[in-house]
Amino acid sequence: MSREIIEKIRDAEAQAQKIRSDAQEEAKARIRTAEAEGKKLCQRSEEKAQRQNREKLDIAKSRAEEVLKSAEEEALLEAKAMQETADFNMREAVRTIIAGVKEQCQ
């Protein structure tokens, strides 16, 4: 009878060892799966963040170009107005000089 008990104990120990081994393998498999899923999730998040940042940068670039274009147009209009004023002042200066010369000649 003691042999049967010893066999049963050995069987129980073997089963316990198999259960521990299976549990360790299962845990390792779950860890590998979790790590792989975590990496995929991280990669998707990074790609999404990069895409959103590109979109925001494109919007900022577009707005900056609009502001620059507006400032350039405004500067051109101001330069044109200054040129017209300068041309007028030049004509008036020439008239004044000519009138002064005529007056001195008479």
Side-chain angles (χ1 to χ4, degrees):
M1 199 146 134
S2 64
R3 246 185 212 184
E4 288 179 24
I5 293 174
I6 291 173
E7 274 303 310
K8 287 183 181 180
I9 290 172
R10 285 186 183 154
D11 287 343
E13 287 175 346
Q15 287 178 350
Q17 180 59 35
K18 183 171 181 351
I19 291 170
R20 276 194 299 270
S21 179
D22 290 348
Q24 286 176 342
E25 290 302 315
E26 177 69 21
K28 288 178 184 178
R30 286 185 183 193
I31 289 171
R32 283 192 300 269
T33 301
E35 286 175 345
E37 289 176 3
K39 285 180 183 178
K40 287 179 186 176
L41 181 61
C42 185
Q43 185 177 4
R44 280 187 294 227
S45 295
E46 286 177 355
E47 289 170 356
K48 182 180 177 182
Q50 288 175 350
R51 188 172 46 255
Q52 288 174 337
N53 286 340
R54 272 194 306 273
E55 290 170 359
K56 289 177 182 178
L57 285 173
D58 288 344
I59 290 169
K61 181 180 177 184
S62 176
R63 288 181 181 168
E65 288 173 352
E66 289 174 10
V67 168
L68 184 61
K69 184 178 177 182
S70 175
E72 184 179 357
E73 289 172 356
E74 192 174 309
L76 287 174
L77 289 174
E78 188 175 325
K80 184 177 178 183
M82 291 172 76
Q83 180 67 41
E84 290 173 358
T85 301
D87 288 345
F88 175 78
N89 289 340
M90 183 63 80
R91 286 192 302 273
E92 288 301 309
V94 169
R95 283 185 197 147
T96 303
I97 291 170
I98 293 174
V101 170
K102 279 186 181 179
E103 190 176 305
Q104 285 182 358
C105 291
Q106 289 178 358

